[in-house]
Amino acid sequence: MNILYIAYSCDPYFGSENKIGWNIPLEASKNHRVFVLTKEEHKKNIQRYCIENGIDNIRFYYADIKEIYKKIFRPPFYSGRLNIWHKKALPIAEKICRENGIEIIHQIAPIEFRSIGKYYGIPDTKFVCGPLAGGQNVPKPLMSYTGKDKPIEKLREIINSFYKRKIKASGILNKCDCILYANYETKAFLEPSAKSTVIPETALKKSELVNTFEKDDNKEECVFLVVSRFTATKGYNLLFDAVKRIPDSLNYKIKIIGYGPLENEVKALFESDKNVMCHTEFLGRLPFSKMNEQYQSADALVFPTFREATGSVILEAMANGLPVITANRCGGSVLCSPSYAYLYSAASKNGWANHLRFAMLHCINNLDEVHEKGRKAREAAEHFTFEKRVETYSKIYEDLLNRK
C-alpha cells in the first residue's frame, strides 16, 4: 500500500507523541510504501537520524506555520496551533497524493479530537484518523486536587464542549473513513453509540522489552515507583492523601522520578508529613538510559494521574515486569487488566484516596502476588509493540480498501 502519515509530532530522538509519530511510519515502511508529512522543526533531526541509520525507504515532507501562532496557541489552546498547521499541510498532502498514488492517509500524532485535518476531502484516498484523545476530563470528585489549575481545567471543559458541538455540526466524523479512539472516555464524549475501535495510541519499541530478572518474594521492603511530571493533573496530591493513611510501621519506599512546574510544591507537600517523607525519595529528572535500572529495582508502578490520554509510562513499567497501580479509566482501562494490574475507582474524593491506599497496602503485604502480576505484565507488554500496532492498522487499511 501507499500510505501517507500526517504526524505533526515526529522526532526520532524524543518520546511521547514524537515517539508515536516516528515509530508508526518506520514500522509500516517494512511492508508498505510510506510517506510522512510533519512540521518543519523536525527536519534537521529526521535527516540526521536517517543518514546515521541508513533509512532511505521513507519520504518526508514538511510544513511550517508562523512563529506568532506557536506563541499564541499554547495549552489549553494548543489545538488552535494544530488546526492552523493542518490548513498549511493540506495542499502539500494533496500534491503528495496526486504524485504518488496514495491510497491511505492516516493522521497519527498528536491526536486531539479538536484538531482533525480535512484530509478526508482528498480524492481517491481513504482517511483514517486517530486514535483520538482529549475527551477525557478530570473526575469531578478530584477537581479540587487541581488547585490553581482548576480554572484551566474548567476552561478546558468549555473548549471541549464547544468543539464537540462544532464537530457535530460539521459532520466531520462521518466524513472520515475510519475513526479510532485512544480511550473510552473520548469515544463516549464524541460518539457514545458508535462502534468505533478503541486502541491505545502509544506502544513499545522491541528494544524496550527488557529481559527481567526474578524478584525476591521474601524481601522485606516494597518499592513503589512514580514516574511523572509535576503538574496538577498527575495526581501527586491524591497520592499524598493515600500514603499518609498507610501505617508508618510498614516497610515500603516510594521513589519519585520527574520534573515540572509544581516540583517545589509537591516536595513541600510530602515534607509536611514526616512519616510520609520517611518513606519517600525524590530522584529528580533522570535520562531514559537510567530508567531501566529504576524499573528493575522497584516492585510496582504507581500512576495516580487524573486524565492521561493513555500513559506511555504504563507500558514502560510493564515492559520491565512491573504491575501498575492506576485508575480504571483512560489508559488504565485500555492497557491494563486485573490479572497484571491493580485498578481502582471511586465516587468521592475520600474514596479515591482510600482505594489507592488499599491497593498500595495490598502490595506491601503480598509481594509474592505483586511479583507474579509483574511477570504477567511483562508477557502482556509483548502485545503492545509498534510492530503489533502497525499489524492492526494494516488490517484496518486493507478492510477500507476492500470496501466497494
Side-chain angles (χ1 to χ4, degrees), residues 83 107 112-118 127 129 132 172-173 176:
N83 285 322
Q107 182 181 330
E112 295 184 2
F113 79 88
R114 299 174 293 271
S115 57
I116 301 174
K118 296 182 178 180
F127 180 48
C129 190
L132 292 175
I172 191 171
L173 297 179
C176 301

Side-chain angles (χ1 to χ4, degrees), residues 192-227:
S193 60
K195 295 182 179 179
S196 305
T197 301
V198 175
I199 181 171
E201 89 279 22
T202 190
L204 294 163
K205 295 186 288 186
K206 279 191 172 181
S207 60
E208 293 177 285
L209 292 169
V210 179
N211 292 320
T212 59
F213 59 87
E214 286 296 313
K215 297 183 184 292
D216 182 7
D217 293 342
N218 296 314
K219 62 180 289 194
E220 295 183 355
E221 184 180 61
C222 179
V223 178
F224 298 104
L225 193 65
V226 181
V227 183

Side-chain angles (χ1 to χ4, degrees), residues 138-188:
V138 174
K140 288 184 179 180
L142 302 180
M143 187 62 79
S144 62
Y145 277 132
T146 59
K148 296 178 182 178
D149 281 1
K150 185 176 180 179
I152 295 176
E153 290 302 317
K154 290 292 185 180
L155 177 59
R156 182 179 177 276
E157 290 183 1
I158 294 172
I159 293 173
N160 276 359
S161 296
F162 168 78
Y163 272 99
K164 178 181 178 179
R165 292 193 296 270
K166 182 178 179 181
I167 287 173
K168 185 175 181 179
S170 67
I172 191 171
L173 297 179
N174 293 327
K175 295 175 183 178
C176 301
D177 295 288
C178 178
I179 293 289
L180 307 172
Y181 289 99
N183 54 58
Y184 294 101
E185 287 76 13
T186 301
K187 179 183 180 300

Side-chain angles (χ1 to χ4, degrees), residues 136-139 141-142 145 183-185 233-235 238-239 301-311 313-314 323-338 340-348 351-353 355-357 359-360:
Q136 68 280 354
N137 288 321
V138 174
L142 302 180
Y145 277 132
N183 54 58
Y184 294 101
E185 287 76 13
T233 61
K234 296 301 183 180
L238 170 63
L239 176 63
L301 176 82
V302 181
F303 193 57
T305 184
F306 299 155
R307 60 162 176 81
E308 201 83 11
T310 303
V313 68
I314 292 178
V324 179
I325 303 172
T326 192
N328 189 20
R329 64 190 307 272
C330 300
S333 62
V334 177
L335 295 172
C336 297
S337 160
Y340 55 82
Y342 297 92
L343 301 172
Y344 59 87
S345 61
S348 67
W352 278 91
H355 287 187
L356 175 54
R357 174 175 68 98
M360 296 179 72

Side-chain angles (χ1 to χ4, degrees), residues 32 34 49 99 135 148 151 219 224 283 294 328 330 378 398:
H32 305 289
V34 170
Y49 189 92
E99 295 178 351
K148 296 178 182 178
K219 62 180 289 194
F224 298 104
L283 300 181
Q294 295 300 326
N328 189 20
C330 300
R378 174 59 181 78
E398 290 171 2

